[in-house]
Amino acid sequence: MRYFTNCKTAEELKKEYRELCKQLHPDNAGNAEDFKKMQDEFSKVWERLKNVHVNKDGEQYEKETEETATEFMDIIENLIKMNGVDFELCGSWFWIYGDTKPYKEKLKELGGRWSKNKKAWYIHREPYRRYHGKKEY
């Protein structure tokens, strides 16, 4: 293991992957071979950590997820290529900001939806329900 040695949860793994993509992606003057090795390692570590999460109090818990490493990598790969667009990971949510108008159709293809309240796009794979106006995740 070379890249993801300190990751203990799926959220930590995703955040680390995002940062490494910024550094190693060939479009950002990175090395294609190193990028491929990092992706392979991510896939292996993902299988081990995909169901390990942390709650708002910092406590670890296990919850099954249907998200695959390939789906996550595809989203990051597409978002990195969008000039003038920034994104952040909040748990299992992607929040996408900046000059998103030219990428509206691509964001929809990725499963993105527009949030009027935050004036930003978001991508969230897991279903959620509302009870009495409160979201339950």
Side-chain angles (χ1 to χ4, degrees):
M1 297 255 293
R2 179 177 166 189
Y3 298 102
F4 304 102
T5 55
N6 295 325
C7 298
K8 293 177 179 63
T9 66
E11 290 80 12
E12 289 175 358
L13 181 63
K14 287 179 175 183
K15 285 182 182 179
E16 185 66 22
Y17 180 81
R18 177 182 182 252
E19 294 303 317
L20 287 169
C21 279
K22 287 180 182 178
Q23 297 169 14
L24 300 175
H25 196 276
D27 290 347
N28 295 338
N31 182 324
E33 188 176 313
D34 288 342
F35 185 72
K36 180 67 176 153
K37 287 178 184 176
M38 184 268 299
Q39 285 186 310
D40 291 340
E41 186 176 317
F42 173 79
S43 296
K44 291 174 187 170
V45 177
W46 175 256
E47 287 306 311
R48 188 170 41 92
L49 295 178
K50 69 181 180 181
N51 296 327
V52 180
H53 305 280
V54 64
N55 66 16
K56 65 180 181 180
D57 299 323
E59 300 166 344
Q60 283 190 9
Y61 66 96
E62 288 199 24
K63 177 184 169 191
E64 285 193 33
T65 182
E66 295 179 15
E67 184 180 21
T68 66
T70 306
E71 288 174 334
F72 181 78
M73 289 188 291
D74 184 49
I75 292 170
I76 296 284
E77 178 84 22
N78 281 285
L79 292 175
I80 283 177
K81 293 178 181 178
M82 296 179 185
N83 292 328
V85 173
D86 193 23
F87 63 96
E88 64 180 318
L89 287 167
C90 297
S92 60
W93 294 74
F94 284 96
W95 286 99
I96 304 134
Y97 307 95
D99 186 19
T100 59
K101 197 168 190 174
Y103 306 106
K104 179 180 177 179
E105 294 305 316
K106 186 63 177 175
L107 289 167
K108 285 182 180 180
E109 284 177 30
L110 293 172
R113 299 183 68 188
W114 177 254
S115 170
K116 290 182 207 176
N117 293 342
K118 290 200 173 203
K119 305 233 184 304
W121 286 86
Y122 67 91
I123 299 173
H124 180 66
R125 297 282 189 221
E126 298 176 17
Y128 65 92
R129 299 179 298 261
R130 287 183 182 218
Y131 290 103
H132 307 291
K134 296 181 182 175
K135 294 180 184 177
E136 184 176 291
Y137 303 98

